[in-house]
Amino acid sequence: MSSNHPDGHPFYRFCRTALADIRTQGRYRQFTPLAREADRYPVYEQEKAPATPATPACDHDREVVVWSSNDYLGMGVEPVVMDAAITAIREHGAGAGGTRNIAGTSPFHTALERELADLHGKEAGLLFVSGYVSNQASLQTILTSMPGWICFSDRLNHASMIAGIKGARGSTTVIYEHNDLEDLEAKLAAAPPDAPKLIAFESVYSMDGDISDIAGTCALARKYNAMTYLDEVHAVGLYGAQGGGISERDGVADQVDVIEGTLSKGFGVHGGYITASSEVVEYLRLAASGFIFTTALPPAVVAAALTSVRQVRKDAWRREKMFERVNAFRARLRKAGIPFTMTPSHIVPIPVGDAQRCRDLSDRLLNEYGLYATPINYPTVPRGTERLRLTPGPFHTDEMMDQMVTALSKLMRINAPVDVAQKIAEPVK
């Protein structure tokens, strides 16, 4: 019997058992076939699809309003951004042709790195193929650069940060409680004074929607001689006078050693980056395997991202409109008595608390009302804290909001407005 036969190796049996267990827990994930309509965002087209165990057959294309996109400002469908990509692909082709060390560096890459460094008030920037890779590669490279590194990591840091920290063999990891500066200080104080230290944390935590105290964290870093590494992925483009993130909004970007971000959310395109001092960026450029051995972002993608960053920096109305829409949506939820988690950010979580119910609620919103809201289950969030994660944007109309509130009211069996102030105020545990 061949070793790759389904019954010939234990891994095949493991896969079948694990998949059955995931289905039993109600957290089996399936892709939803949706095609974005560039001129009607956030309207998408649901393509014809056969029936699955979770969804009925869709025998015709239909319109769906998407409520969970991370293209927060709709920059991915901004005409000037799309035109930049089209022009670049006609002039420079579809791909980069290799890594930047092998195939050369497009002027677009250099210009975008300078733009991002300027956005964050740093000396230099470095592009990666994704935000995940920029975190993983940068953190791993920093934490393996010298012996004795200790990384102080917020308990709710993103999986990409955790991957980079775990991959740094020889370093020590200390987990501090989420956004708890007292716990962080106690652990910094207990560490060897002469050990190289790094505090890794995020600005906006995308599942709970809470925001870290960057100034307080940087103050502790100075007190205990630690570097700071800040993930601004869910904040760049959205906060600050020019979209530099929470660190720009709070006037503390100059206190952070390394600021990491993405081009795929507030800027609506693709790619990740870090900005820092020139010597840190140069070291990562020459030492980070996730940069050295990965084909560069295509010129068309970089040209689109560069145009988007420049547009977002000068168009404050996009940020203002997004927050106006977020506040308008929350007001409707509150009036209808629909519980949601009040956050200081643009994220609107609807707590459900059960994986299967969360999946079913999402499916019914899509199948019965043409509304797409992503169910967030374990391992993205702890079991028992399952939720729908909604992200109102500048182009969600009053009518779209009313449709969502009406659907949630019926599906969650909320028949009349109730006093849910306490539920709203309670953070998701």
Side-chain angles (χ1 to χ4, degrees), residues 291-303:
F291 172 81
I292 296 170
F293 298 105
T294 303
T295 297
L297 289 167
V301 171
V302 182

Side-chain angles (χ1 to χ4, degrees), residues 254-275:
D254 61 325
Q255 299 177 30
V256 181
D257 291 290
V258 181
I259 295 178
E260 183 267 352
T262 185
L263 301 163
S264 65
K265 295 179 172 60
F267 298 125
V269 189
H270 184 72
Y273 65 89
I274 59 101
T275 62

Side-chain angles (χ1 to χ4, degrees), residues 22-33:
I22 290 172
R23 287 189 177 94
T24 299
Q25 295 175 30
R27 57 186 187 88
Y28 187 81
R29 302 181 182 185
Q30 292 179 305
F31 294 135
T32 302

Side-chain angles (χ1 to χ4, degrees), residues 213-228:
D213 181 352
I214 301 174
T217 304
C218 290
L220 289 179
R222 291 191 298 272
K223 182 176 179 179
Y224 293 96
N225 194 29
M227 283 183 61
T228 48

Side-chain angles (χ1 to χ4, degrees), residues 138-306:
S138 298
L139 283 165
Q140 182 173 329
T141 303
I142 291 170
L143 295 172
T144 54
S145 61
M146 303 184 299
W149 271 106
I150 304 175
C151 180
F152 298 83
S153 176
D154 187 289
R155 184 173 294 280
L156 294 189
N157 275 342
H158 189 263
S160 59
M161 302 176 76
I162 295 170
I165 293 166
K166 283 186 174 181
R169 295 180 179 179
S171 66
T172 300
T173 304
V174 176
I175 307 297
Y176 67 92
E177 294 305 317
H178 176 55
N179 278 348
D180 189 335
L181 295 189
E182 289 186 4
D183 187 51
L184 173 58
E185 179 164 22
K187 288 171 177 174
L188 284 166
D194 296 333
K197 305 175 187 67
L198 176 73
I199 303 171
F201 64 115
E202 300 181 41
S203 59
V204 175
Y205 287 83
S206 64
M207 293 299 112
D208 291 326
D210 53 345
I211 293 176
S212 63
D213 181 352
I214 301 174
T217 304
C218 290
L220 289 179
R222 291 191 298 272
K223 182 176 179 179
Y224 293 96
N225 194 29
M227 283 183 61
T228 48
Y229 182 102
L230 175 64
D231 177 315
E232 286 263 40
V233 161
H234 288 275
V236 289
L238 310 183
Y239 299 83
Q242 297 186 67
I246 300 297
S247 56
E248 185 199 15
R249 185 198 71 176
D250 294 351
V252 294
D254 61 325
Q255 299 177 30
V256 181
D257 291 290
V258 181
I259 295 178
E260 183 267 352
T262 185
L263 301 163
S264 65
K265 295 179 172 60
F267 298 125
V269 189
H270 184 72
Y273 65 89
I274 59 101
T275 62
S277 66
S278 57
E279 62 262 38
V280 168
V281 170
E282 276 295 276
Y283 177 73
L284 291 174
R285 184 178 71 85
L286 297 173
S289 61
F291 172 81
I292 296 170
F293 298 105
T294 303
T295 297
L297 289 167
V301 171
V302 182
L306 176 61

